[in-house]
């Protein structure tokens, strides 16, 4: 149990804002793609091309942002990176407690 329940836990996750932005871009790009369907409402080819290009760009940018955030969170730790100081080292018995 943590003896200090109200201690500071740092600045938070640095990938939260880019991940939320990536999800937002994916949502807007998907919405734009569904509104620019040529089989549902025929329109001018230039308008359809611009809609598909914009939605494709939004989808790609959102996917790249999310992929970067996932790679940051689940990537390999840097060589020589220190382990968390709060986690006790396992004992010889492997229980992690010092009795």
């Amino acid at each position: 149990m943590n003896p200090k329940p109200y201690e500071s836990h740092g600045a938070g996750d640095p990938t939260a804002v880019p991940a939320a932005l990536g999800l937002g871009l994916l949502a807007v790009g998907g919405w734009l793609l569904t509104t620019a369907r040529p089989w549902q409402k025929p329109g001018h080819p230039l308008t359809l091309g611009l809609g598909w290009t914009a939605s494709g760009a939004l989808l790609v940018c959102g996917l790249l942002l999310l992929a970067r955030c996932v790679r940051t969170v689940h990537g390999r730790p840097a060589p020589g990176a220190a382990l968390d100081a709060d986690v006790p080292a396992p004992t010889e018995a492997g229980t992690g407690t010092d009795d």
Side-chain angles (χ1 to χ4, degrees):
M1 187 161 169
N2 193 357
K4 296 185 261 181
Y6 297 107
E7 69 183 20
S8 175
H9 293 287
D13 188 8
T15 61
V17 173
L21 181 63
L23 287 174
L25 288 175
L26 283 174
V28 171
W31 172 79
L32 188 59
L33 186 64
T34 60
T35 59
R37 294 181 288 188
W39 57 88
Q40 193 160 23
K41 56 177 182 182
H44 194 272
L46 182 62
T47 306
L48 292 173
L50 286 174
W52 279 51
T53 303
S55 66
L58 288 171
L59 288 171
V60 167
C61 289
L63 190 63
L64 288 175
L65 269 173
L66 280 178
R68 191 180 80 186
C69 293
V70 168
R71 192 173 52 223
T72 301
V73 171
H74 296 289
R76 287 189 222 164
L83 297 175
D84 287 337
D86 295 339
V87 179
T91 61
E92 292 182 16
T95 60
T97 58
D98 295 327
D99 289 331

